[in-house]
Amino acid sequence: IISDHVIATAAHCLYNVEDSQFVQNITVNIYNSNGTITSKTPSSLHIPVKYKTPDVGVSRDNYDYGLIYINDSLSQFGVWNVGIAVKEFMYQTPPLSITSSGFCQPSNYTDYTRYYSTGQVLNLDTLTGESHNLPAFRIATDGESVGGKSGGVMYYDSIGSYNSYKSAIAITTGGTSYRTWGCKLTPTLLKFYKHNTYLS
């Protein structure tokens, strides 16, 4: 949840490129601190046009972000602080660590469990040949990924003298047993989420 009405997620969680259709009958389950679940029905779903029809030679993965709009206010559930993964952040020495999280379905297919993995930010220039090899759009860590984490938050935990300050900096879009990657939050992406007058 990144504003009172907006949930950030991955485009492939909302849209099936094989049949060019948005998924149907979505329910958003919000997990409360007391263990109960509040369910909401989205009023609209949005993805970038370039995810549906990417430019020739440009990976669809670079536009794998979307939003879920809820009419009811979500402010009571808490809103993520959002930040920008600037170039200087991407190439720190030693590399910074970020955490990715999502609600993943376990092997017994009964309950969803919140899953976390923390890893060091990888230099994308060294990952040529992989689907996430364009540094301007992507971020990757050496943290483990599991099925169902797509659309979840990737965040930086800044620890100060007195408290910890977590900032969402990317949306998880894929991974393997030894790597997690996603779309970086950029000024353009935040404008898509929060200040896009074309969305209704």
Side-chain angles (χ1 to χ4, degrees):
I1 301 173
I2 61 168
S3 74
D4 287 353
H5 300 279
V6 173
I7 298 173
T9 188
H12 77 261
C13 296
L14 305 178
Y15 185 83
N16 186 343
V17 296
E18 294 184 3
D19 63 9
S20 300
Q21 297 290 322
F22 280 91
V23 296
Q24 303 296 313
N25 303 317
I26 290 180
T27 299
V28 174
N29 290 325
I30 302 171
Y31 292 72
N32 302 302
S33 58
N34 63 2
T36 61
I37 296 174
T38 299
S39 295
K40 299 287 185 180
T41 300
S43 58
S44 58
L45 311 173
H46 301 277
I47 62 171
V49 171
K50 287 189 176 182
Y51 181 78
K52 297 170 65 175
T53 55
D55 296 335
V56 175
V58 176
S59 173
R60 186 189 305 275
D61 291 350
N62 292 301
Y63 305 102
D64 193 0
Y65 54 87
L67 69 82
I68 300 171
Y69 190 87
I70 307 286
N71 280 336
D72 298 338
S73 175
L74 303 173
S75 59
Q76 71 191 75
F77 302 106
V79 174
W80 270 92
N81 301 307
V82 292
I84 303 295
V86 297
K87 183 176 180 180
E88 290 76 12
F89 181 91
M90 303 288 291
Y91 298 99
Q92 292 279 336
T93 303
L96 297 173
S97 293
I98 59 175
T99 300
S100 57
S101 178
F103 283 93
C104 305
Q105 198 170 45
S107 57
N108 61 10
Y109 293 99
T110 55
D111 298 312
Y112 286 86
T113 304
R114 182 133 204 174
Y115 181 92
Y116 297 89
S117 64
T118 301
Q120 291 186 325
V121 175
L122 299 174
N123 183 335
L124 292 183
D125 293 337
T126 67
L127 301 179
T128 56
E130 300 197 30
S131 63
H132 50 285
N133 63 358
L134 293 181
F137 299 94
R138 312 289 286 163
I139 192 168
T141 77
D142 60 6
E144 179 186 29
S145 185
V146 296
K149 224 163 63 169
S150 289
V153 65
M154 298 178 78
Y155 64 90
Y156 176 61
D157 196 351
S158 177
I159 301 173
S161 301
Y162 301 102
N163 53 27
S164 175
Y165 187 83
K166 295 177 173 61
S167 296
I169 59 169
I171 304 300
T172 306
T173 57
T176 66
S177 60
Y178 59 90
R179 186 163 295 153
T180 299
W181 57 81
C183 288
K184 294 191 303 183
L185 293 181
T186 63
T188 300
L189 200 157
L190 290 181
K191 183 177 180 181
F192 171 84
Y193 281 135
K194 293 194 169 188
H195 302 290
N196 195 327
T197 58
Y198 295 101
L199 303 183
S200 61

